[in-house]
Amino acid sequence: MNYIFRYCIRLYLVFPYVIDKLLGFCYKHLMRSCGSHVYIRPLYSDIKGLHNLSIGNGTSIPKGSVFYCTEAPLIIGNKVLFGPRPTIITGDHRIDRLGEYIVDVNEKLPENDKMVTIEDDVWTGANITILKGVTIGRGSVVAAGSVVTKSCPPYSIIGGVPAKIIKYRFTVEQVLEHERLLYPVDKRLRKEDILKSRL
Ligand SMILES: CC(C)(COP(=O)(O)OP(=O)(O)OC[C@H]1O[C@@H](n2cnc3c(N)ncnc32)[C@H](O)[C@@H]1OP(=O)(O)O)[C@@H](O)C(=O)NCCC(=O)NCCS
Protein backbone atom coordinates (compact mmCIF):
# COMPACT_ATOMS: atom_id res chain seq x y z
CA MET A 1 0.00 0.00 0.00
CA ASN A 2 2.79 2.41 1.00
CA TYR A 3 4.47 1.64 -2.28
CA ILE A 4 1.35 2.75 -4.21
CA PHE A 5 1.12 6.00 -2.21
CA ARG A 6 4.76 6.74 -2.84
CA TYR A 7 4.29 6.00 -6.54
CA CYS A 8 1.27 8.35 -6.74
CA ILE A 9 3.18 11.17 -5.01
CA ARG A 10 6.11 10.73 -7.36
CA LEU A 11 3.75 10.81 -10.35
CA TYR A 12 2.03 13.92 -8.93
CA LEU A 13 5.39 15.68 -8.64
CA VAL A 14 6.99 14.48 -11.86
CA PHE A 15 4.06 14.86 -14.28
CA PRO A 16 3.63 18.66 -13.93
CA TYR A 17 7.42 19.08 -14.04
CA VAL A 18 7.59 17.29 -17.40
CA ILE A 19 4.61 19.24 -18.81
CA ASP A 20 6.17 22.50 -17.59
CA LYS A 21 9.46 21.66 -19.31
CA LEU A 22 7.67 20.79 -22.57
CA LEU A 23 5.59 23.96 -22.44
CA GLY A 24 8.72 25.98 -21.64
CA PHE A 25 10.39 24.60 -24.76
CA CYS A 26 7.37 25.59 -26.91
CA TYR A 27 7.08 29.05 -25.31
CA LYS A 28 10.74 29.82 -26.00
CA HIS A 29 10.22 29.04 -29.69
CA LEU A 30 7.08 31.16 -29.92
CA MET A 31 8.66 34.22 -28.30
CA ARG A 32 9.91 37.18 -30.29
CA SER A 33 13.38 36.29 -29.02
CA CYS A 34 14.83 34.20 -26.21
CA GLY A 35 18.44 34.08 -25.05
CA SER A 36 20.40 31.21 -23.57
CA HIS A 37 20.01 29.89 -20.01
CA VAL A 38 16.46 31.20 -19.75
CA TYR A 39 14.27 29.41 -17.22
CA ILE A 40 10.51 29.79 -17.61
CA ARG A 41 7.53 28.20 -15.75
CA PRO A 42 4.56 28.45 -18.17
CA LEU A 43 2.38 26.03 -16.20
CA TYR A 44 2.55 28.26 -13.15
CA SER A 45 2.55 31.66 -14.90
CA ASP A 46 0.13 33.72 -16.97
CA ILE A 47 1.97 34.92 -20.08
CA LYS A 48 0.07 36.46 -23.01
CA GLY A 49 1.38 37.76 -26.34
CA LEU A 50 4.49 35.60 -26.72
CA HIS A 51 5.14 37.09 -30.19
CA ASN A 52 5.91 40.36 -28.41
CA LEU A 53 8.02 38.99 -25.57
CA SER A 54 11.84 39.06 -25.62
CA ILE A 55 14.01 37.65 -22.84
CA GLY A 56 17.80 37.98 -22.65
CA ASN A 57 20.48 35.56 -21.50
CA GLY A 58 20.52 34.18 -17.98
CA THR A 59 17.10 35.52 -16.94
CA SER A 60 14.62 33.33 -15.04
CA ILE A 61 10.87 33.88 -15.05
CA PRO A 62 9.52 32.70 -11.68
CA LYS A 63 6.31 30.91 -10.79
CA GLY A 64 3.33 33.24 -10.56
CA SER A 65 4.57 35.70 -13.18
CA VAL A 66 1.88 37.67 -15.02
CA PHE A 67 3.22 39.12 -18.29
CA TYR A 68 0.66 40.63 -20.69
CA CYS A 69 2.31 41.76 -23.91
CA THR A 70 -0.28 43.67 -25.92
CA GLU A 71 0.41 45.26 -29.31
CA ALA A 72 3.44 46.77 -27.56
CA PRO A 73 6.41 44.52 -26.75
CA LEU A 74 7.94 43.56 -23.44
CA ILE A 75 11.73 43.48 -23.61
CA ILE A 76 13.54 41.84 -20.70
CA GLY A 77 17.33 42.09 -20.70
CA ASN A 78 20.18 39.83 -19.61
CA LYS A 79 20.65 38.58 -16.05
CA VAL A 80 17.40 40.04 -14.74
CA LEU A 81 16.39 38.71 -11.33
CA PHE A 82 12.66 38.61 -10.59
CA GLY A 83 11.32 38.12 -7.08
CA PRO A 84 8.08 36.19 -6.64
CA ARG A 85 4.96 37.15 -8.61
CA PRO A 86 5.97 40.01 -10.90
CA THR A 87 3.20 41.57 -13.00
CA ILE A 88 4.12 43.43 -16.19
CA ILE A 89 1.45 44.77 -18.53
CA THR A 90 2.28 46.74 -21.69
CA GLY A 91 -1.18 48.22 -22.26
CA ASP A 92 -4.44 49.61 -20.96
CA HIS A 93 -8.08 49.33 -22.01
CA ARG A 94 -9.80 52.36 -23.50
CA ILE A 95 -11.73 54.19 -20.81
CA ASP A 96 -12.83 57.26 -22.77
CA ARG A 97 -15.90 55.91 -24.59
CA LEU A 98 -19.34 57.16 -23.51
CA GLY A 99 -22.23 54.70 -23.58
CA GLU A 100 -20.09 51.57 -23.91
CA TYR A 101 -18.97 49.09 -21.30
CA ILE A 102 -15.19 49.00 -21.05
CA VAL A 103 -15.25 45.27 -21.76
CA ASP A 104 -17.13 45.86 -25.03
CA VAL A 105 -14.64 48.35 -26.51
CA ASN A 106 -12.39 46.40 -28.82
CA GLU A 107 -10.39 48.99 -30.74
CA LYS A 108 -7.52 50.78 -29.01
CA LEU A 109 -5.70 54.09 -29.41
CA PRO A 110 -1.95 53.94 -30.14
CA GLU A 111 -1.26 55.44 -26.70
CA ASN A 112 -3.11 52.60 -24.95
CA ASP A 113 -0.21 50.20 -25.61
CA LYS A 114 3.40 51.16 -24.93
CA MET A 115 6.58 49.11 -24.78
CA VAL A 116 8.05 48.08 -21.43
CA THR A 117 11.81 47.51 -21.15
CA ILE A 118 13.61 45.91 -18.23
CA GLU A 119 17.29 46.47 -18.85
CA ASP A 120 20.17 44.14 -17.84
CA ASP A 121 21.06 43.37 -14.21
CA VAL A 122 17.73 44.57 -12.75
CA TRP A 123 16.33 43.01 -9.55
CA THR A 124 12.61 43.26 -8.83
CA GLY A 125 11.37 42.47 -5.30
CA ALA A 126 8.26 40.44 -4.55
CA ASN A 127 4.84 41.40 -5.92
CA ILE A 128 5.82 44.30 -8.13
CA THR A 129 3.70 45.71 -10.96
CA ILE A 130 5.20 47.49 -13.97
CA LEU A 131 2.85 49.35 -16.29
CA LYS A 132 2.95 50.50 -19.91
CA GLY A 133 5.70 52.72 -21.29
CA VAL A 134 8.17 52.09 -18.45
CA THR A 135 11.90 51.47 -18.83
CA ILE A 136 13.70 50.13 -15.77
CA GLY A 137 17.26 51.35 -16.20
CA ARG A 138 20.20 48.97 -16.15
CA GLY A 139 21.21 47.64 -12.74
CA SER A 140 18.17 49.10 -10.93
CA VAL A 141 16.24 47.60 -8.00
CA VAL A 142 12.44 47.71 -7.79
CA ALA A 143 11.41 47.44 -4.12
CA ALA A 144 8.87 44.83 -3.04
CA GLY A 145 5.24 45.77 -3.65
CA SER A 146 5.98 48.71 -5.97
CA VAL A 147 3.70 49.86 -8.76
CA VAL A 148 5.93 51.41 -11.40
CA THR A 149 4.27 53.95 -13.69
CA LYS A 150 7.35 55.93 -14.80
CA SER A 151 10.81 55.03 -16.08
CA CYS A 152 13.82 55.13 -13.79
CA PRO A 153 17.51 55.81 -14.50
CA PRO A 154 20.25 53.17 -14.38
CA TYR A 155 21.33 51.90 -10.96
CA SER A 156 18.42 53.50 -9.11
CA ILE A 157 16.46 51.89 -6.28
CA ILE A 158 12.78 52.70 -6.66
CA GLY A 159 9.82 51.87 -4.43
CA GLY A 160 6.28 52.67 -3.44
CA VAL A 161 2.91 53.19 -5.13
CA PRO A 162 3.50 54.88 -7.48
CA ALA A 163 7.22 54.06 -7.38
CA LYS A 164 9.67 56.90 -6.78
CA ILE A 165 13.47 56.94 -6.52
CA ILE A 166 14.51 55.94 -2.97
CA LYS A 167 18.25 56.19 -3.60
CA TYR A 168 20.96 55.07 -6.00
CA ARG A 169 22.76 51.75 -5.70
CA PHE A 170 26.17 53.20 -6.52
CA THR A 171 27.92 56.54 -6.84
CA VAL A 172 28.74 57.56 -10.41
CA GLU A 173 32.36 56.44 -9.91
CA GLN A 174 31.18 53.06 -8.61
CA VAL A 175 28.86 52.65 -11.62
CA LEU A 176 31.81 53.22 -13.95
CA GLU A 177 33.88 50.61 -12.09
CA HIS A 178 30.97 48.12 -11.98
CA GLU A 179 30.45 48.54 -15.74
CA ARG A 180 34.18 48.27 -16.45
CA LEU A 181 34.16 44.86 -14.75
CA LEU A 182 30.99 43.58 -16.45
CA TYR A 183 30.60 45.07 -19.93
CA PRO A 184 32.76 45.46 -23.05
CA VAL A 185 33.80 49.05 -23.80
CA ASP A 186 31.11 49.66 -26.42
CA LYS A 187 28.32 48.52 -24.05
CA ARG A 188 29.34 50.67 -21.04
CA LEU A 189 27.34 53.70 -19.95
CA ARG A 190 29.09 57.03 -20.42
CA LYS A 191 29.82 59.22 -17.41
CA GLU A 192 27.97 62.21 -18.95
CA ASP A 193 24.86 60.09 -19.53
CA ILE A 194 24.87 58.74 -15.95
CA LEU A 195 25.24 62.28 -14.58
CA LYS A 196 22.47 63.56 -16.86
CA SER A 197 20.13 60.71 -15.80
CA ARG A 198 20.52 61.77 -12.14
CA LEU A 199 19.65 65.46 -12.57
C1 LIG B 1 14.48 47.89 -2.09
C2 LIG B 1 15.21 47.24 -0.94
C3 LIG B 1 16.29 46.32 -1.50
C4 LIG B 1 15.89 48.39 -0.16
O1 LIG B 1 16.60 47.87 0.90
P1 LIG B 1 17.59 48.84 1.73
O2 LIG B 1 18.68 49.37 0.86
O3 LIG B 1 18.02 48.08 2.94
O4 LIG B 1 16.69 50.09 2.07
P2 LIG B 1 16.13 50.56 3.49
O5 LIG B 1 15.42 49.46 4.18
O6 LIG B 1 17.26 51.26 4.18
O7 LIG B 1 15.04 51.63 3.06
C5 LIG B 1 15.38 52.87 2.46
C6 LIG B 1 14.09 53.65 2.30
O8 LIG B 1 13.29 52.98 1.31
C7 LIG B 1 12.01 52.66 1.86
N1 LIG B 1 11.60 51.36 1.34
C8 LIG B 1 12.23 50.18 1.51
N2 LIG B 1 11.53 49.21 0.91
C9 LIG B 1 10.45 49.79 0.36
C10 LIG B 1 9.36 49.28 -0.36
N3 LIG B 1 9.25 47.98 -0.65
N4 LIG B 1 8.43 50.13 -0.79
C11 LIG B 1 8.52 51.44 -0.51
N5 LIG B 1 9.54 51.98 0.19
C12 LIG B 1 10.49 51.15 0.62
C13 LIG B 1 12.23 52.61 3.36
O9 LIG B 1 11.03 52.85 4.05
C14 LIG B 1 13.24 53.71 3.56
O10 LIG B 1 12.56 54.96 3.54
P3 LIG B 1 13.05 56.18 4.49
O11 LIG B 1 14.45 56.50 4.02
O12 LIG B 1 12.06 57.25 4.19
O13 LIG B 1 13.03 55.65 5.87
C15 LIG B 1 14.27 46.41 -0.02
O14 LIG B 1 13.46 47.27 0.76
C16 LIG B 1 13.33 45.50 -0.82
O15 LIG B 1 12.24 45.87 -1.26
N6 LIG B 1 13.78 44.25 -1.04
C17 LIG B 1 13.03 43.28 -1.80
C18 LIG B 1 12.99 41.93 -1.06
C19 LIG B 1 12.27 40.91 -1.87
O16 LIG B 1 11.16 41.11 -2.29
N7 LIG B 1 12.92 39.80 -2.12
C20 LIG B 1 12.35 38.77 -2.95
C21 LIG B 1 13.34 37.70 -3.19
S1 LIG B 1 14.14 37.87 -4.77
Side-chain angles (χ1 to χ4, degrees):
M1 199 62 173
N2 270 357
Y3 173 76
I4 294 173
F5 284 152
R6 244 182 270 136
Y7 184 74
C8 288
I9 289 169
R10 218 172 283 159
L11 210 64
Y12 175 78
L13 292 174
V14 168
F15 190 65
Y17 175 82
V18 172
I19 297 287
D20 205 33
K21 281 277 173 206
L22 280 173
L23 275 177
F25 179 79
C26 301
Y27 270 48
K28 285 180 189 178
H29 282 81
L30 292 171
M31 275 181 206
R32 186 171 164 149
S33 70
C34 183
S36 58
H37 302 100
V38 169
Y39 192 57
I40 185 165
R41 312 295 305 270
L43 200 59
Y44 305 101
S45 303
D46 182 5
I47 300 175
K48 293 195 166 72
L50 286 172
H51 66 288
N52 257 340
L53 174 62
S54 301
I55 303 179
N57 301 322
T59 292
S60 291
I61 309 303
K63 275 183 179 180
S65 298
V66 177
F67 292 169
Y68 289 178
C69 311
T70 57
E71 291 306 310
L74 166 57
I75 314 284
I76 300 172
N78 301 315
K79 298 267 186 186
V80 172
L81 174 61
F82 287 105
R85 294 173 296 278
T87 295
I88 307 176
I89 299 176
T90 69
D92 287 335
H93 288 286
R94 273 188 83 159
I95 52 170
D96 61 332
R97 296 285 280 260
L98 289 172
E100 281 182 87
Y101 295 108
I102 293 171
V103 70
D104 290 337
V105 180
N106 288 322
E107 70 274 26
K108 283 188 165 191
L109 298 169
E111 60 264 34
N112 294 138
D113 292 338
K114 287 185 187 158
M115 179 163 94
V116 171
T117 306
I118 318 285
E119 293 183 347
D120 299 346
D121 186 27
V122 163
W123 170 35
T124 70
N127 298 308
I128 56 94
T129 299
I130 298 174
L131 298 178
K132 72 170 198 277
V134 165
T135 295
I136 307 292
R138 185 191 283 181
S140 292
V141 176
V142 182
S146 302
V147 176
V148 189
T149 57
K150 290 197 171 72
S151 300
C152 66
Y155 299 98
S156 50
I157 302 182
I158 60 169
V161 181
K164 302 259 189 301
I165 295 177
I166 295 173
K167 57 186 173 183
Y168 289 98
R169 256 180 87 190
F170 299 136
T171 64
V172 175
E173 296 309 322
Q174 286 172 329
V175 171
L176 295 172
E177 178 60 7
H178 179 73
E179 297 242 324
R180 189 183 68 76
L181 295 168
L182 290 183
Y183 299 99
V185 176
D186 58 323
K187 292 271 167 32
R188 291 179 203 157
L189 294 173
R190 295 182 324 148
K191 189 172 183 179
E192 311 84 88
D193 294 331
I194 306 167
L195 285 167
K196 210 191 295 169
S197 74
R198 296 190 176 196
L199 288 176

